[in-house]
Amino acid sequence: EDQVTQSPEALRLQEGESSSLNCSYTVSGLRGLFWYRQDPGKGPEFLFTLYSAGEEKEKERLKATLTKKESFLHITAPKPEDSATYLCAVQAARGGSNYKLTFGKGTLLTVNP
Amino acid sequence: ETGVTQTPRHLVMGMTNKKSLKCEQHLGHNAMYWYKQSAKKPLELMFVYSLEERVENNSVPSRFSPECPNSSHLFLHLHTLQPEDSALYLCASSRSQGSGETQYFGPGTRLLVL
């Protein structure tokens, strides 16, 4: 069974204090690892898709990396508007149902001014 | 309108009511999904439609009934719900149901069952 574990559950940073969020996964045949950002009471907003170990993607202050066991979301010099819950999800090779996403519980990030 | 839209954004209903949630995607996608998000739990996949055919019913109780009249619209019909069904219901779409396809989410409907 696919598993996704995100850590820490909550992270509080000062504005400008860089840090990383972790997503550890166990899956048979990774087809994609997805990062989303979710603001309170809203739907997840797509950030990145990573497909293979060694891949990296960047967007503004965010950088996502992928190994065979985990992914990191690095946040450089965060601002208060980066405060949100960050969700990680994996998609595995599963024959006819390979569209299924297995989500982690998320990391709640708070950036204080 | 762009992306994935959902109506209503908030819904309060009694256990004997019947209501429907609506989702519309403006992305030209062929696959649509219903998810349930409860507090402190990961998103749970409920139903999947591909080219208007249901391809997944993830052991969801029959009090939830999906409908996909075309590739742009998805409904979730609700009847005789229980208080534990209170949650954020999210609709998503993707270009196809194939692996590696990114799913894009709507804003969700916050449902409260009294």
Side-chain angles (χ1 to χ4, degrees), chain A residues 31 34 36 38 41-44 46 49 51 91 96 98-101 103 105, chain B residues 9 37 40 42-43 48 55-56 88 90 97 99-103 105-107:
Chain A
R31 285 293 178 263
F34 304 83
Y36 290 87
Q38 186 173 25
K42 297 188 177 181
F46 170 69
T49 306
Y51 293 104
Q91 194 177 59
N98 54 12
Y99 48 78
K100 283 188 176 182
L101 290 179
F103 279 86
K105 292 184 177 181
Chain B
R9 294 295 313 277
Q37 188 175 34
K40 305 295 184 184
L43 271 75
V48 181
V55 297
E56 175 82 25
L88 182 67
L90 293 162
Q97 65 168 110
S99 64
E101 293 287 352
T102 298
Q103 296 178 22
F105 287 82

PDB file of all heavy atoms in Angstrom, chain A residues 31 34 36 38 41-44 46 49 51 91 96 98-101 103 105, chain B residues 9 37 40 42-43 48 55-56 88 90 97 99-103 105-107:
ATOM      1  N   ARG A  31       5.012   7.264 -10.438  1.00  0.00           N
ATOM      2  CA  ARG A  31       4.676   7.896 -11.721  1.00  0.00           C
ATOM      3  C   ARG A  31       4.684   9.415 -11.618  1.00  0.00           C
ATOM      4  O   ARG A  31       4.747  10.099 -12.648  1.00  0.00           O
ATOM      5  CB  ARG A  31       3.313   7.419 -12.202  1.00  0.00           C
ATOM      6  CG  ARG A  31       3.331   6.007 -12.744  1.00  0.00           C
ATOM      7  CD  ARG A  31       4.137   5.928 -14.026  1.00  0.00           C
ATOM      8  NE  ARG A  31       4.214   4.571 -14.563  1.00  0.00           N
ATOM      9  CZ  ARG A  31       5.240   3.764 -14.358  1.00  0.00           C
ATOM     10  NH1 ARG A  31       6.274   4.152 -13.625  1.00  0.00           N
ATOM     11  NH2 ARG A  31       5.241   2.548 -14.886  1.00  0.00           N
ATOM     12  N   PHE A  34       3.565  15.113  -6.427  1.00  0.00           N
ATOM     13  CA  PHE A  34       2.910  16.401  -6.605  1.00  0.00           C
ATOM     14  C   PHE A  34       2.967  17.198  -5.304  1.00  0.00           C
ATOM     15  O   PHE A  34       2.724  16.668  -4.228  1.00  0.00           O
ATOM     16  CB  PHE A  34       1.440  16.197  -7.016  1.00  0.00           C
ATOM     17  CG  PHE A  34       1.269  15.365  -8.253  1.00  0.00           C
ATOM     18  CD1 PHE A  34       1.288  13.982  -8.194  1.00  0.00           C
ATOM     19  CD2 PHE A  34       1.082  15.969  -9.487  1.00  0.00           C
ATOM     20  CE1 PHE A  34       1.131  13.206  -9.319  1.00  0.00           C
ATOM     21  CE2 PHE A  34       0.924  15.193 -10.635  1.00  0.00           C
ATOM     22  CZ  PHE A  34       0.949  13.816 -10.550  1.00  0.00           C
ATOM     23  N   TYR A  36       1.222  20.602  -3.540  1.00  0.00           N
ATOM     24  CA  TYR A  36       0.131  21.568  -3.601  1.00  0.00           C
ATOM     25  C   TYR A  36       0.242  22.485  -2.385  1.00  0.00           C
ATOM     26  O   TYR A  36       0.732  22.104  -1.331  1.00  0.00           O
ATOM     27  CB  TYR A  36      -1.235  20.868  -3.542  1.00  0.00           C
ATOM     28  CG  TYR A  36      -1.617  20.067  -4.761  1.00  0.00           C
ATOM     29  CD1 TYR A  36      -1.220  18.733  -4.875  1.00  0.00           C
ATOM     30  CD2 TYR A  36      -2.388  20.617  -5.776  1.00  0.00           C
ATOM     31  CE1 TYR A  36      -1.585  17.976  -5.971  1.00  0.00           C
ATOM     32  CE2 TYR A  36      -2.768  19.862  -6.880  1.00  0.00           C
ATOM     33  CZ  TYR A  36      -2.364  18.546  -6.971  1.00  0.00           C
ATOM     34  OH  TYR A  36      -2.723  17.800  -8.067  1.00  0.00           O
ATOM     35  N   GLN A  38      -2.361  24.774   0.084  1.00  0.00           N
ATOM     36  CA  GLN A  38      -3.772  24.953   0.390  1.00  0.00           C
ATOM     37  C   GLN A  38      -3.944  26.012   1.460  1.00  0.00           C
ATOM     38  O   GLN A  38      -3.417  25.886   2.565  1.00  0.00           O
ATOM     39  CB  GLN A  38      -4.413  23.636   0.862  1.00  0.00           C
ATOM     40  CG  GLN A  38      -5.920  23.735   1.050  1.00  0.00           C
ATOM     41  CD  GLN A  38      -6.570  22.404   1.344  1.00  0.00           C
ATOM     42  OE1 GLN A  38      -5.943  21.484   1.854  1.00  0.00           O
ATOM     43  NE2 GLN A  38      -7.852  22.287   1.026  1.00  0.00           N
ATOM     44  N   GLY A  41      -9.833  26.884   4.041  1.00  0.00           N
ATOM     45  CA  GLY A  41     -11.144  26.945   3.415  1.00  0.00           C
ATOM     46  C   GLY A  41     -11.129  26.954   1.904  1.00  0.00           C
ATOM     47  O   GLY A  41     -12.168  27.179   1.276  1.00  0.00           O
ATOM     48  N   LYS A  42      -9.974  26.705   1.303  1.00  0.00           N
ATOM     49  CA  LYS A  42      -9.872  26.712  -0.164  1.00  0.00           C
ATOM     50  C   LYS A  42      -9.355  25.378  -0.680  1.00  0.00           C
ATOM     51  O   LYS A  42      -8.888  24.540   0.081  1.00  0.00           O
ATOM     52  CB  LYS A  42      -8.955  27.846  -0.615  1.00  0.00           C
ATOM     53  CG  LYS A  42      -9.479  29.229  -0.258  1.00  0.00           C
ATOM     54  CD  LYS A  42      -8.640  30.319  -0.894  1.00  0.00           C
ATOM     55  CE  LYS A  42      -9.206  31.698  -0.597  1.00  0.00           C
ATOM     56  NZ  LYS A  42      -8.406  32.775  -1.226  1.00  0.00           N
ATOM     57  N   GLY A  43      -9.442  25.197  -1.985  1.00  0.00           N
ATOM     58  CA  GLY A  43      -8.931  23.985  -2.581  1.00  0.00           C
ATOM     59  C   GLY A  43      -7.431  24.033  -2.769  1.00  0.00           C
ATOM     60  O   GLY A  43      -6.831  25.102  -2.787  1.00  0.00           O
ATOM     61  N   PRO A  44      -6.796  22.868  -2.877  1.00  0.00           N
ATOM     62  CA  PRO A  44      -5.351  22.825  -3.117  1.00  0.00           C
ATOM     63  C   PRO A  44      -4.976  23.496  -4.433  1.00  0.00           C
ATOM     64  O   PRO A  44      -5.634  23.290  -5.448  1.00  0.00           O
ATOM     65  CB  PRO A  44      -5.048  21.330  -3.161  1.00  0.00           C
ATOM     66  CG  PRO A  44      -6.174  20.681  -2.405  1.00  0.00           C
ATOM     67  CD  PRO A  44      -7.363  21.527  -2.709  1.00  0.00           C
ATOM     68  N   PHE A  46      -2.069  23.826  -7.268  1.00  0.00           N
ATOM     69  CA  PHE A  46      -0.937  23.064  -7.781  1.00  0.00           C
ATOM     70  C   PHE A  46       0.344  23.892  -7.782  1.00  0.00           C
ATOM     71  O   PHE A  46       0.356  25.056  -8.193  1.00  0.00           O
ATOM     72  CB  PHE A  46      -1.247  22.588  -9.204  1.00  0.00           C
ATOM     73  CG  PHE A  46      -0.071  21.998  -9.921  1.00  0.00           C
ATOM     74  CD1 PHE A  46       0.462  20.791  -9.513  1.00  0.00           C
ATOM     75  CD2 PHE A  46       0.522  22.663 -10.978  1.00  0.00           C
ATOM     76  CE1 PHE A  46       1.557  20.247 -10.157  1.00  0.00           C
ATOM     77  CE2 PHE A  46       1.613  22.125 -11.642  1.00  0.00           C
ATOM     78  CZ  PHE A  46       2.130  20.925 -11.226  1.00  0.00           C
ATOM     79  N   THR A  49       5.084  19.193 -10.172  1.00  0.00           N
ATOM     80  CA  THR A  49       5.091  17.759 -10.386  1.00  0.00           C
ATOM     81  C   THR A  49       6.532  17.328 -10.634  1.00  0.00           C
ATOM     82  O   THR A  49       7.236  17.948 -11.449  1.00  0.00           O
ATOM     83  CB  THR A  49       4.240  17.346 -11.597  1.00  0.00           C
ATOM     84  OG1 THR A  49       2.923  17.870 -11.465  1.00  0.00           O
ATOM     85  CG2 THR A  49       4.170  15.829 -11.693  1.00  0.00           C
ATOM     86  N   TYR A  51       8.911  13.814 -11.526  1.00  0.00           N
ATOM     87  CA  TYR A  51       8.674  12.492 -12.091  1.00  0.00           C
ATOM     88  C   TYR A  51       9.785  11.488 -11.797  1.00  0.00           C
ATOM     89  O   TYR A  51       9.532  10.277 -11.784  1.00  0.00           O
ATOM     90  CB  TYR A  51       8.490  12.597 -13.607  1.00  0.00           C
ATOM     91  CG  TYR A  51       7.235  13.323 -14.015  1.00  0.00           C
ATOM     92  CD1 TYR A  51       7.285  14.636 -14.486  1.00  0.00           C
ATOM     93  CD2 TYR A  51       5.986  12.712 -13.933  1.00  0.00           C
ATOM     94  CE1 TYR A  51       6.125  15.312 -14.856  1.00  0.00           C
ATOM     95  CE2 TYR A  51       4.825  13.375 -14.304  1.00  0.00           C
ATOM     96  CZ  TYR A  51       4.909  14.664 -14.765  1.00  0.00           C
ATOM     97  OH  TYR A  51       3.760  15.327 -15.134  1.00  0.00           O
ATOM     98  N   GLN A  91       1.678   9.369  -7.039  1.00  0.00           N
ATOM     99  CA  GLN A  91       0.888   8.591  -7.982  1.00  0.00           C
ATOM    100  C   GLN A  91       1.750   7.425  -8.427  1.00  0.00           C
ATOM    101  O   GLN A  91       2.904   7.620  -8.823  1.00  0.00           O
ATOM    102  CB  GLN A  91       0.509   9.471  -9.167  1.00  0.00           C
ATOM    103  CG  GLN A  91      -0.572   8.912 -10.060  1.00  0.00           C
ATOM    104  CD  GLN A  91      -0.916   9.900 -11.162  1.00  0.00           C
ATOM    105  OE1 GLN A  91      -0.065  10.290 -11.942  1.00  0.00           O
ATOM    106  NE2 GLN A  91      -2.177  10.302 -11.220  1.00  0.00           N
ATOM    107  N   GLY A  96      -4.926  -0.221 -14.223  1.00  0.00           N
ATOM    108  CA  GLY A  96      -6.067   0.563 -14.660  1.00  0.00           C
ATOM    109  C   GLY A  96      -6.420   1.736 -13.762  1.00  0.00           C
ATOM    110  O   GLY A  96      -7.220   2.575 -14.138  1.00  0.00           O
ATOM    111  N   ASN A  98      -4.124   3.968 -12.298  1.00  0.00           N
ATOM    112  CA  ASN A  98      -2.891   4.685 -12.019  1.00  0.00           C
ATOM    113  C   ASN A  98      -3.081   6.177 -11.906  1.00  0.00           C
ATOM    114  O   ASN A  98      -2.120   6.916 -11.849  1.00  0.00           O
ATOM    115  CB  ASN A  98      -1.841   4.351 -13.075  1.00  0.00           C
ATOM    116  CG  ASN A  98      -2.363   4.590 -14.488  1.00  0.00           C
ATOM    117  OD1 ASN A  98      -3.411   5.200 -14.665  1.00  0.00           O
ATOM    118  ND2 ASN A  98      -1.649   4.101 -15.469  1.00  0.00           N
ATOM    119  N   TYR A  99      -4.332   6.668 -11.897  1.00  0.00           N
ATOM    120  CA  TYR A  99      -4.625   8.079 -11.692  1.00  0.00           C
ATOM    121  C   TYR A  99      -4.686   8.417 -10.208  1.00  0.00           C
ATOM    122  O   TYR A  99      -4.738   9.567  -9.830  1.00  0.00           O
ATOM    123  CB  TYR A  99      -5.981   8.428 -12.317  1.00  0.00           C
ATOM    124  CG  TYR A  99      -7.050   7.442 -11.929  1.00  0.00           C
ATOM    125  CD1 TYR A  99      -7.660   7.506 -10.682  1.00  0.00           C
ATOM    126  CD2 TYR A  99      -7.403   6.414 -12.777  1.00  0.00           C
ATOM    127  CE1 TYR A  99      -8.599   6.573 -10.302  1.00  0.00           C
ATOM    128  CE2 TYR A  99      -8.351   5.470 -12.411  1.00  0.00           C
ATOM    129  CZ  TYR A  99      -8.946   5.551 -11.178  1.00  0.00           C
ATOM    130  OH  TYR A  99      -9.863   4.626 -10.806  1.00  0.00           O
ATOM    131  N   LYS A 100      -4.734   7.383  -9.335  1.00  0.00           N
ATOM    132  CA  LYS A 100      -4.971   7.617  -7.916  1.00  0.00           C
ATOM    133  C   LYS A 100      -3.831   8.393  -7.271  1.00  0.00           C
ATOM    134  O   LYS A 100      -2.658   8.065  -7.447  1.00  0.00           O
ATOM    135  CB  LYS A 100      -5.137   6.296  -7.167  1.00  0.00           C
ATOM    136  CG  LYS A 100      -6.476   5.637  -7.351  1.00  0.00           C
ATOM    137  CD  LYS A 100      -6.632   4.435  -6.425  1.00  0.00           C
ATOM    138  CE  LYS A 100      -8.016   3.840  -6.540  1.00  0.00           C
ATOM    139  NZ  LYS A 100      -8.197   2.687  -5.611  1.00  0.00           N
ATOM    140  N   LEU A 101      -4.194   9.428  -6.532  1.00  0.00           N
ATOM    141  CA  LEU A 101      -3.235  10.179  -5.744  1.00  0.00           C
ATOM    142  C   LEU A 101      -3.354   9.763  -4.286  1.00  0.00           C
ATOM    143  O   LEU A 101      -4.458   9.710  -3.755  1.00  0.00           O
ATOM    144  CB  LEU A 101      -3.498  11.676  -5.847  1.00  0.00           C
ATOM    145  CG  LEU A 101      -3.203  12.363  -7.181  1.00  0.00           C
ATOM    146  CD1 LEU A 101      -3.544  13.849  -7.093  1.00  0.00           C
ATOM    147  CD2 LEU A 101      -1.750  12.187  -7.569  1.00  0.00           C
ATOM    148  N   PHE A 103      -2.352  11.096  -0.724  1.00  0.00           N
ATOM    149  CA  PHE A 103      -1.928  12.354  -0.108  1.00  0.00           C
ATOM    150  C   PHE A 103      -1.351  12.128   1.281  1.00  0.00           C
ATOM    151  O   PHE A 103      -1.769  11.225   2.010  1.00  0.00           O
ATOM    152  CB  PHE A 103      -3.119  13.304   0.024  1.00  0.00           C
ATOM    153  CG  PHE A 103      -3.463  14.040  -1.230  1.00  0.00           C
ATOM    154  CD1 PHE A 103      -4.300  13.471  -2.179  1.00  0.00           C
ATOM    155  CD2 PHE A 103      -2.963  15.308  -1.477  1.00  0.00           C
ATOM    156  CE1 PHE A 103      -4.630  14.140  -3.344  1.00  0.00           C
ATOM    157  CE2 PHE A 103      -3.283  15.992  -2.632  1.00  0.00           C
ATOM    158  CZ  PHE A 103      -4.115  15.405  -3.563  1.00  0.00           C
ATOM    159  N   LYS A 105      -0.740  14.153   5.114  1.00  0.00           N
ATOM    160  CA  LYS A 105      -1.633  14.990   5.923  1.00  0.00           C
ATOM    161  C   LYS A 105      -1.280  16.464   5.819  1.00  0.00           C
ATOM    162  O   LYS A 105      -2.052  17.309   6.265  1.00  0.00           O
ATOM    163  CB  LYS A 105      -1.587  14.544   7.378  1.00  0.00           C
ATOM    164  CG  LYS A 105      -2.196  13.169   7.611  1.00  0.00           C
ATOM    165  CD  LYS A 105      -2.206  12.811   9.089  1.00  0.00           C
ATOM    166  CE  LYS A 105      -2.877  11.459   9.311  1.00  0.00           C
ATOM    167  NZ  LYS A 105      -2.921  11.095  10.765  1.00  0.00           N
TER     168      LYS A 105
ATOM    169  N   ARG B   9     -20.437  27.291  -2.321  1.00  0.00           N
ATOM    170  CA  ARG B   9     -19.186  27.263  -1.560  1.00  0.00           C
ATOM    171  C   ARG B   9     -19.429  26.786  -0.135  1.00  0.00           C
ATOM    172  O   ARG B   9     -18.547  26.183   0.492  1.00  0.00           O
ATOM    173  CB  ARG B   9     -18.561  28.649  -1.522  1.00  0.00           C
ATOM    174  CG  ARG B   9     -18.097  29.145  -2.880  1.00  0.00           C
ATOM    175  CD  ARG B   9     -16.941  28.289  -3.444  1.00  0.00           C
ATOM    176  NE  ARG B   9     -15.897  28.053  -2.461  1.00  0.00           N
ATOM    177  CZ  ARG B   9     -14.925  28.887  -2.188  1.00  0.00           C
ATOM    178  NH1 ARG B   9     -14.853  30.041  -2.833  1.00  0.00           N
ATOM    179  NH2 ARG B   9     -14.009  28.593  -1.278  1.00  0.00           N
ATOM    180  N   GLN B  37     -12.372  15.982   2.136  1.00  0.00           N
ATOM    181  CA  GLN B  37     -11.291  16.388   3.029  1.00  0.00           C
ATOM    182  C   GLN B  37     -11.862  16.671   4.413  1.00  0.00           C
ATOM    183  O   GLN B  37     -12.588  17.649   4.589  1.00  0.00           O
ATOM    184  CB  GLN B  37     -10.556  17.621   2.505  1.00  0.00           C
ATOM    185  CG  GLN B  37      -9.307  17.962   3.305  1.00  0.00           C
ATOM    186  CD  GLN B  37      -8.510  19.112   2.708  1.00  0.00           C
ATOM    187  OE1 GLN B  37      -9.079  20.042   2.136  1.00  0.00           O
ATOM    188  NE2 GLN B  37      -7.184  19.062   2.831  1.00  0.00           N
ATOM    189  N   LYS B  40      -7.815  16.936   9.895  1.00  0.00           N
ATOM    190  CA  LYS B  40      -6.730  16.070  10.369  1.00  0.00           C
ATOM    191  C   LYS B  40      -6.581  14.779   9.573  1.00  0.00           C
ATOM    192  O   LYS B  40      -5.880  13.870  10.015  1.00  0.00           O
ATOM    193  CB  LYS B  40      -6.935  15.720  11.857  1.00  0.00           C
ATOM    194  CG  LYS B  40      -7.094  16.918  12.760  1.00  0.00           C
ATOM    195  CD  LYS B  40      -5.854  17.762  12.820  1.00  0.00           C
ATOM    196  CE  LYS B  40      -6.026  18.901  13.820  1.00  0.00           C
ATOM    197  NZ  LYS B  40      -4.857  19.802  13.834  1.00  0.00           N
ATOM    198  N   PRO B  42      -5.948  12.943   5.523  1.00  0.00           N
ATOM    199  CA  PRO B  42      -5.567  13.227   4.126  1.00  0.00           C
ATOM    200  C   PRO B  42      -6.793  13.259   3.222  1.00  0.00           C
ATOM    201  O   PRO B  42      -7.843  12.701   3.560  1.00  0.00           O
ATOM    202  CB  PRO B  42      -4.668  12.035   3.765  1.00  0.00           C
ATOM    203  CG  PRO B  42      -4.292  11.402   5.045  1.00  0.00           C
ATOM    204  CD  PRO B  42      -5.403  11.671   5.991  1.00  0.00           C
ATOM    205  N   LEU B  43      -6.643  13.880   2.078  1.00  0.00           N
ATOM    206  CA  LEU B  43      -7.716  13.867   1.093  1.00  0.00           C
ATOM    207  C   LEU B  43      -8.058  12.429   0.718  1.00  0.00           C
ATOM    208  O   LEU B  43      -7.180  11.594   0.504  1.00  0.00           O
ATOM    209  CB  LEU B  43      -7.291  14.604  -0.186  1.00  0.00           C
ATOM    210  CG  LEU B  43      -7.554  16.098  -0.248  1.00  0.00           C
ATOM    211  CD1 LEU B  43      -6.563  16.855   0.618  1.00  0.00           C
ATOM    212  CD2 LEU B  43      -7.484  16.584  -1.693  1.00  0.00           C
ATOM    213  N   VAL B  48     -14.298   8.876  -9.608  1.00  0.00           N
ATOM    214  CA  VAL B  48     -13.537   9.325 -10.762  1.00  0.00           C
ATOM    215  C   VAL B  48     -14.375   9.092 -12.009  1.00  0.00           C
ATOM    216  O   VAL B  48     -14.976   8.028 -12.171  1.00  0.00           O
ATOM    217  CB  VAL B  48     -12.207   8.556 -10.906  1.00  0.00           C
ATOM    218  CG1 VAL B  48     -11.424   9.069 -12.124  1.00  0.00           C
ATOM    219  CG2 VAL B  48     -11.378   8.669  -9.646  1.00  0.00           C
ATOM    220  N   VAL B  55     -15.183   5.520 -13.474  1.00  0.00           N
ATOM    221  CA  VAL B  55     -14.149   4.498 -13.448  1.00  0.00           C
ATOM    222  C   VAL B  55     -13.734   4.136 -12.038  1.00  0.00           C
ATOM    223  O   VAL B  55     -12.921   3.248 -11.836  1.00  0.00           O
ATOM    224  CB  VAL B  55     -12.905   4.934 -14.260  1.00  0.00           C
ATOM    225  CG1 VAL B  55     -13.267   5.114 -15.718  1.00  0.00           C
ATOM    226  CG2 VAL B  55     -12.304   6.216 -13.702  1.00  0.00           C
ATOM    227  N   GLU B  56     -14.263   4.857 -11.046  1.00  0.00           N
ATOM    228  CA  GLU B  56     -13.884   4.565  -9.672  1.00  0.00           C
ATOM    229  C   GLU B  56     -15.033   4.910  -8.750  1.00  0.00           C
ATOM    230  O   GLU B  56     -15.640   5.966  -8.880  1.00  0.00           O
ATOM    231  CB  GLU B  56     -12.650   5.391  -9.278  1.00  0.00           C
ATOM    232  CG  GLU B  56     -12.222   5.257  -7.820  1.00  0.00           C
ATOM    233  CD  GLU B  56     -11.380   4.029  -7.578  1.00  0.00           C
ATOM    234  OE1 GLU B  56     -10.738   3.562  -8.534  1.00  0.00           O
ATOM    235  OE2 GLU B  56     -11.362   3.540  -6.446  1.00  0.00           O
ATOM    236  N   LEU B  88     -15.032  19.210   3.790  1.00  0.00           N
ATOM    237  CA  LEU B  88     -14.822  20.007   2.583  1.00  0.00           C
ATOM    238  C   LEU B  88     -14.819  19.042   1.400  1.00  0.00           C
ATOM    239  O   LEU B  88     -14.030  18.092   1.375  1.00  0.00           O
ATOM    240  CB  LEU B  88     -13.495  20.761   2.659  1.00  0.00           C
ATOM    241  CG  LEU B  88     -13.154  21.673   1.484  1.00  0.00           C
ATOM    242  CD1 LEU B  88     -14.111  22.865   1.421  1.00  0.00           C
ATOM    243  CD2 LEU B  88     -11.716  22.167   1.577  1.00  0.00           C
ATOM    244  N   LEU B  90     -14.154  18.458  -2.453  1.00  0.00           N
ATOM    245  CA  LEU B  90     -13.335  19.061  -3.498  1.00  0.00           C
ATOM    246  C   LEU B  90     -13.538  18.338  -4.822  1.00  0.00           C
ATOM    247  O   LEU B  90     -13.565  17.108  -4.881  1.00  0.00           O
ATOM    248  CB  LEU B  90     -11.861  18.983  -3.116  1.00  0.00           C
ATOM    249  CG  LEU B  90     -11.439  19.823  -1.923  1.00  0.00           C
ATOM    250  CD1 LEU B  90     -10.111  19.342  -1.365  1.00  0.00           C
ATOM    251  CD2 LEU B  90     -11.323  21.291  -2.324  1.00  0.00           C
ATOM    252  N   GLN B  97      -7.059  10.461 -17.396  1.00  0.00           N
ATOM    253  CA  GLN B  97      -6.915   9.703 -16.156  1.00  0.00           C
ATOM    254  C   GLN B  97      -5.580   8.968 -16.133  1.00  0.00           C
ATOM    255  O   GLN B  97      -5.326   8.181 -15.238  1.00  0.00           O
ATOM    256  CB  GLN B  97      -8.061   8.697 -16.007  1.00  0.00           C
ATOM    257  CG  GLN B  97      -8.039   7.621 -17.072  1.00  0.00           C
ATOM    258  CD  GLN B  97      -8.971   6.469 -16.767  1.00  0.00           C
ATOM    259  OE1 GLN B  97      -9.978   6.311 -17.426  1.00  0.00           O
ATOM    260  NE2 GLN B  97      -8.632   5.671 -15.769  1.00  0.00           N
ATOM    261  N   SER B  99      -1.459   8.107 -15.865  1.00  0.00           N
ATOM    262  CA  SER B  99      -0.487   8.368 -14.819  1.00  0.00           C
ATOM    263  C   SER B  99       0.357   9.595 -15.167  1.00  0.00           C
ATOM    264  O   SER B  99       0.600   9.892 -16.334  1.00  0.00           O
ATOM    265  CB  SER B  99       0.431   7.155 -14.638  1.00  0.00           C
ATOM    266  OG  SER B  99       1.185   6.924 -15.814  1.00  0.00           O
ATOM    267  N   GLY B 100       0.755  10.277 -14.121  1.00  0.00           N
ATOM    268  CA  GLY B 100       1.581  11.464 -14.290  1.00  0.00           C
ATOM    269  C   GLY B 100       0.811  12.723 -14.611  1.00  0.00           C
ATOM    270  O   GLY B 100       1.394  13.795 -14.691  1.00  0.00           O
ATOM    271  N   GLU B 101      -0.506  12.611 -14.784  1.00  0.00           N
ATOM    272  CA  GLU B 101      -1.306  13.795 -15.103  1.00  0.00           C
ATOM    273  C   GLU B 101      -1.604  14.590 -13.841  1.00  0.00           C
ATOM    274  O   GLU B 101      -2.036  14.031 -12.837  1.00  0.00           O
ATOM    275  CB  GLU B 101      -2.624  13.385 -15.776  1.00  0.00           C
ATOM    276  CG  GLU B 101      -2.456  12.772 -17.152  1.00  0.00           C
ATOM    277  CD  GLU B 101      -2.088  13.797 -18.208  1.00  0.00           C
ATOM    278  OE1 GLU B 101      -2.112  15.016 -17.924  1.00  0.00           O
ATOM    279  OE2 GLU B 101      -1.761  13.373 -19.336  1.00  0.00           O
ATOM    280  N   THR B 102      -1.421  15.880 -13.908  1.00  0.00           N
ATOM    281  CA  THR B 102      -1.685  16.746 -12.770  1.00  0.00           C
ATOM    282  C   THR B 102      -3.175  16.966 -12.610  1.00  0.00           C
ATOM    283  O   THR B 102      -3.886  17.224 -13.590  1.00  0.00           O
ATOM    284  CB  THR B 102      -0.974  18.096 -12.960  1.00  0.00           C
ATOM    285  OG1 THR B 102       0.438  17.866 -13.029  1.00  0.00           O
ATOM    286  CG2 THR B 102      -1.282  19.036 -11.810  1.00  0.00           C
ATOM    287  N   GLN B 103      -3.647  16.865 -11.386  1.00  0.00           N
ATOM    288  CA  GLN B 103      -5.042  17.156 -11.069  1.00  0.00           C
ATOM    289  C   GLN B 103      -5.142  18.579 -10.521  1.00  0.00           C
ATOM    290  O   GLN B 103      -4.373  18.965  -9.649  1.00  0.00           O
ATOM    291  CB  GLN B 103      -5.575  16.146 -10.052  1.00  0.00           C
ATOM    292  CG  GLN B 103      -5.613  14.720 -10.602  1.00  0.00           C
ATOM    293  CD  GLN B 103      -6.100  13.701  -9.600  1.00  0.00           C
ATOM    294  OE1 GLN B 103      -6.793  14.021  -8.627  1.00  0.00           O
ATOM    295  NE2 GLN B 103      -5.761  12.437  -9.819  1.00  0.00           N
ATOM    296  N   PHE B 105      -7.561  21.421  -8.716  1.00  0.00           N
ATOM    297  CA  PHE B 105      -8.685  21.419  -7.798  1.00  0.00           C
ATOM    298  C   PHE B 105      -9.511  22.698  -7.863  1.00  0.00           C
ATOM    299  O   PHE B 105      -9.001  23.780  -8.154  1.00  0.00           O
ATOM    300  CB  PHE B 105      -8.196  21.246  -6.356  1.00  0.00           C
ATOM    301  CG  PHE B 105      -7.718  19.850  -6.056  1.00  0.00           C
ATOM    302  CD1 PHE B 105      -6.447  19.448  -6.408  1.00  0.00           C
ATOM    303  CD2 PHE B 105      -8.563  18.931  -5.448  1.00  0.00           C
ATOM    304  CE1 PHE B 105      -6.005  18.154  -6.147  1.00  0.00           C
ATOM    305  CE2 PHE B 105      -8.133  17.642  -5.183  1.00  0.00           C
ATOM    306  CZ  PHE B 105      -6.855  17.256  -5.530  1.00  0.00           C
ATOM    307  N   GLY B 106     -10.792  22.536  -7.544  1.00  0.00           N
ATOM    308  CA  GLY B 106     -11.665  23.683  -7.345  1.00  0.00           C
ATOM    309  C   GLY B 106     -11.553  24.190  -5.915  1.00  0.00           C
ATOM    310  O   GLY B 106     -10.815  23.633  -5.105  1.00  0.00           O
ATOM    311  N   PRO B 107     -12.315  25.241  -5.584  1.00  0.00           N
ATOM    312  CA  PRO B 107     -12.227  25.843  -4.258  1.00  0.00           C
ATOM    313  C   PRO B 107     -12.911  25.035  -3.160  1.00  0.00           C
ATOM    314  O   PRO B 107     -12.680  25.293  -1.982  1.00  0.00           O
ATOM    315  CB  PRO B 107     -12.914  27.196  -4.436  1.00  0.00           C
ATOM    316  CG  PRO B 107     -13.874  26.965  -5.539  1.00  0.00           C
ATOM    317  CD  PRO B 107     -13.201  25.986  -6.471  1.00  0.00           C
TER     318      PRO B 107
END
